[in-house]
PDB file of all heavy atoms in Angstrom:
ATOM      1  N   GLN A   3      18.539 259.677  82.233  1.00  0.00           N
ATOM      2  CA  GLN A   3      19.199 260.880  81.724  1.00  0.00           C
ATOM      3  C   GLN A   3      18.175 262.013  81.659  1.00  0.00           C
ATOM      4  O   GLN A   3      17.019 261.799  81.342  1.00  0.00           O
ATOM      5  CB  GLN A   3      19.763 260.627  80.326  1.00  0.00           C
ATOM      6  CG  GLN A   3      20.883 259.641  80.296  1.00  0.00           C
ATOM      7  CD  GLN A   3      22.215 260.277  80.699  1.00  0.00           C
ATOM      8  OE1 GLN A   3      22.284 261.414  81.104  1.00  0.00           O
ATOM      9  NE2 GLN A   3      23.266 259.507  80.578  1.00  0.00           N
ATOM     10  N   GLN A   4      18.631 263.223  81.941  1.00  0.00           N
ATOM     11  CA  GLN A   4      17.761 264.386  81.846  1.00  0.00           C
ATOM     12  C   GLN A   4      18.352 265.391  80.878  1.00  0.00           C
ATOM     13  O   GLN A   4      19.570 265.461  80.704  1.00  0.00           O
ATOM     14  CB  GLN A   4      17.583 265.020  83.219  1.00  0.00           C
ATOM     15  CG  GLN A   4      16.833 264.112  84.169  1.00  0.00           C
ATOM     16  CD  GLN A   4      16.415 264.854  85.431  1.00  0.00           C
ATOM     17  OE1 GLN A   4      16.888 265.937  85.709  1.00  0.00           O
ATOM     18  NE2 GLN A   4      15.521 264.261  86.181  1.00  0.00           N
ATOM     19  N   LEU A   5      17.482 266.165  80.269  1.00  0.00           N
ATOM     20  CA  LEU A   5      17.938 267.221  79.376  1.00  0.00           C
ATOM     21  C   LEU A   5      18.601 268.311  80.216  1.00  0.00           C
ATOM     22  O   LEU A   5      18.001 268.822  81.158  1.00  0.00           O
ATOM     23  CB  LEU A   5      16.763 267.792  78.576  1.00  0.00           C
ATOM     24  CG  LEU A   5      16.070 266.812  77.637  1.00  0.00           C
ATOM     25  CD1 LEU A   5      14.860 267.466  76.987  1.00  0.00           C
ATOM     26  CD2 LEU A   5      17.031 266.317  76.575  1.00  0.00           C
ATOM     27  N   THR A   6      19.827 268.667  79.866  1.00  0.00           N
ATOM     28  CA  THR A   6      20.588 269.616  80.674  1.00  0.00           C
ATOM     29  C   THR A   6      20.168 271.067  80.459  1.00  0.00           C
ATOM     30  O   THR A   6      20.471 271.918  81.291  1.00  0.00           O
ATOM     31  CB  THR A   6      22.092 269.499  80.365  1.00  0.00           C
ATOM     32  OG1 THR A   6      22.294 269.739  78.971  1.00  0.00           O
ATOM     33  CG2 THR A   6      22.612 268.123  80.743  1.00  0.00           C
ATOM     34  N   HIS A   7      19.482 271.356  79.382  1.00  0.00           N
ATOM     35  CA  HIS A   7      19.106 272.734  79.085  1.00  0.00           C
ATOM     36  C   HIS A   7      17.707 273.090  79.590  1.00  0.00           C
ATOM     37  O   HIS A   7      17.140 274.102  79.201  1.00  0.00           O
ATOM     38  CB  HIS A   7      19.228 273.009  77.584  1.00  0.00           C
ATOM     39  CG  HIS A   7      20.642 273.091  77.127  1.00  0.00           C
ATOM     40  ND1 HIS A   7      21.382 271.976  76.817  1.00  0.00           N
ATOM     41  CD2 HIS A   7      21.468 274.145  76.954  1.00  0.00           C
ATOM     42  CE1 HIS A   7      22.596 272.343  76.463  1.00  0.00           C
ATOM     43  NE2 HIS A   7      22.681 273.654  76.538  1.00  0.00           N
ATOM     44  N   LEU A   8      17.156 272.233  80.462  1.00  0.00           N
ATOM     45  CA  LEU A   8      15.853 272.505  81.077  1.00  0.00           C
ATOM     46  C   LEU A   8      15.998 272.418  82.582  1.00  0.00           C
ATOM     47  O   LEU A   8      16.633 271.498  83.096  1.00  0.00           O
ATOM     48  CB  LEU A   8      14.802 271.494  80.600  1.00  0.00           C
ATOM     49  CG  LEU A   8      14.485 271.468  79.106  1.00  0.00           C
ATOM     50  CD1 LEU A   8      13.488 270.367  78.795  1.00  0.00           C
ATOM     51  CD2 LEU A   8      13.973 272.816  78.627  1.00  0.00           C
ATOM     52  N   ASP A   9      15.388 273.377  83.301  1.00  0.00           N
ATOM     53  CA  ASP A   9      15.410 273.295  84.752  1.00  0.00           C
ATOM     54  C   ASP A   9      14.295 272.365  85.230  1.00  0.00           C
ATOM     55  O   ASP A   9      13.589 271.757  84.418  1.00  0.00           O
ATOM     56  CB  ASP A   9      15.339 274.688  85.395  1.00  0.00           C
ATOM     57  CG  ASP A   9      14.012 275.408  85.159  1.00  0.00           C
ATOM     58  OD1 ASP A   9      13.017 274.764  84.748  1.00  0.00           O
ATOM     59  OD2 ASP A   9      13.964 276.627  85.394  1.00  0.00           O
ATOM     60  N   ASN A  13      11.845 274.998  82.176  1.00  0.00           N
ATOM     61  CA  ASN A  13      12.260 276.258  81.551  1.00  0.00           C
ATOM     62  C   ASN A  13      13.652 276.114  80.937  1.00  0.00           C
ATOM     63  O   ASN A  13      14.527 275.471  81.516  1.00  0.00           O
ATOM     64  CB  ASN A  13      12.288 277.386  82.590  1.00  0.00           C
ATOM     65  CG  ASN A  13      10.926 277.625  83.194  1.00  0.00           C
ATOM     66  OD1 ASN A  13       9.942 277.777  82.477  1.00  0.00           O
ATOM     67  ND2 ASN A  13      10.858 277.654  84.510  1.00  0.00           N
ATOM     68  N   ALA A  14      13.852 276.765  79.802  1.00  0.00           N
ATOM     69  CA  ALA A  14      15.166 276.742  79.142  1.00  0.00           C
ATOM     70  C   ALA A  14      16.186 277.443  80.021  1.00  0.00           C
ATOM     71  O   ALA A  14      15.894 278.455  80.661  1.00  0.00           O
ATOM     72  CB  ALA A  14      15.076 277.426  77.787  1.00  0.00           C
ATOM     73  N   GLN A  15      17.387 276.873  80.055  1.00  0.00           N
ATOM     74  CA  GLN A  15      18.471 277.467  80.838  1.00  0.00           C
ATOM     75  C   GLN A  15      19.805 277.170  80.179  1.00  0.00           C
ATOM     76  O   GLN A  15      19.968 276.165  79.507  1.00  0.00           O
ATOM     77  CB  GLN A  15      18.482 276.912  82.265  1.00  0.00           C
ATOM     78  CG  GLN A  15      18.844 275.427  82.327  1.00  0.00           C
ATOM     79  CD  GLN A  15      18.937 274.899  83.742  1.00  0.00           C
ATOM     80  OE1 GLN A  15      18.746 275.620  84.696  1.00  0.00           O
ATOM     81  NE2 GLN A  15      19.231 273.623  83.874  1.00  0.00           N
ATOM     82  N   MET A  16      20.760 278.061  80.402  1.00  0.00           N
ATOM     83  CA  MET A  16      22.133 277.811  79.989  1.00  0.00           C
ATOM     84  C   MET A  16      22.768 276.981  81.098  1.00  0.00           C
ATOM     85  O   MET A  16      22.644 277.307  82.270  1.00  0.00           O
ATOM     86  CB  MET A  16      22.873 279.130  79.792  1.00  0.00           C
ATOM     87  CG  MET A  16      24.228 279.003  79.187  1.00  0.00           C
ATOM     88  SD  MET A  16      24.854 280.669  78.858  1.00  0.00           S
ATOM     89  CE  MET A  16      26.223 280.291  77.831  1.00  0.00           C
ATOM     90  N   VAL A  17      23.424 275.901  80.721  1.00  0.00           N
ATOM     91  CA  VAL A  17      24.026 274.995  81.701  1.00  0.00           C
ATOM     92  C   VAL A  17      25.163 275.705  82.432  1.00  0.00           C
ATOM     93  O   VAL A  17      25.986 276.383  81.810  1.00  0.00           O
ATOM     94  CB  VAL A  17      24.558 273.723  80.997  1.00  0.00           C
ATOM     95  CG1 VAL A  17      25.281 272.822  81.981  1.00  0.00           C
ATOM     96  CG2 VAL A  17      23.415 272.983  80.324  1.00  0.00           C
ATOM     97  N   ASP A  18      25.201 275.554  83.754  1.00  0.00           N
ATOM     98  CA  ASP A  18      26.280 276.118  84.552  1.00  0.00           C
ATOM     99  C   ASP A  18      27.462 275.162  84.499  1.00  0.00           C
ATOM    100  O   ASP A  18      27.387 274.042  85.000  1.00  0.00           O
ATOM    101  CB  ASP A  18      25.814 276.305  85.997  1.00  0.00           C
ATOM    102  CG  ASP A  18      26.872 276.916  86.900  1.00  0.00           C
ATOM    103  OD1 ASP A  18      27.997 277.194  86.420  1.00  0.00           O
ATOM    104  OD2 ASP A  18      26.574 277.113  88.088  1.00  0.00           O
ATOM    105  N   LYS A  22      32.950 272.506  86.376  1.00  0.00           N
ATOM    106  CA  LYS A  22      33.626 271.525  85.530  1.00  0.00           C
ATOM    107  C   LYS A  22      35.105 271.866  85.392  1.00  0.00           C
ATOM    108  O   LYS A  22      35.487 273.039  85.408  1.00  0.00           O
ATOM    109  CB  LYS A  22      32.991 271.481  84.134  1.00  0.00           C
ATOM    110  CG  LYS A  22      31.617 270.851  84.092  1.00  0.00           C
ATOM    111  CD  LYS A  22      31.144 270.833  82.656  1.00  0.00           C
ATOM    112  CE  LYS A  22      30.017 269.887  82.431  1.00  0.00           C
ATOM    113  NZ  LYS A  22      29.703 269.791  80.991  1.00  0.00           N
ATOM    114  N   LEU A  76      21.523 278.656  73.632  1.00  0.00           N
ATOM    115  CA  LEU A  76      22.019 278.247  74.943  1.00  0.00           C
ATOM    116  C   LEU A  76      23.462 277.752  74.930  1.00  0.00           C
ATOM    117  O   LEU A  76      23.952 277.219  75.925  1.00  0.00           O
ATOM    118  CB  LEU A  76      21.091 277.191  75.549  1.00  0.00           C
ATOM    119  CG  LEU A  76      19.635 277.665  75.723  1.00  0.00           C
ATOM    120  CD1 LEU A  76      18.760 276.542  76.250  1.00  0.00           C
ATOM    121  CD2 LEU A  76      19.540 278.884  76.612  1.00  0.00           C
TER     122      LEU A  76
END
Side-chain angles (χ1 to χ4, degrees):
Q3 293 279 6
Q4 294 192 346
L5 297 176
T6 58
H7 288 83
L8 298 177
D9 66 15
N13 299 310
Q15 67 176 0
M16 188 173 193
V17 176
D18 181 359
K22 289 182 163 187
L76 301 177

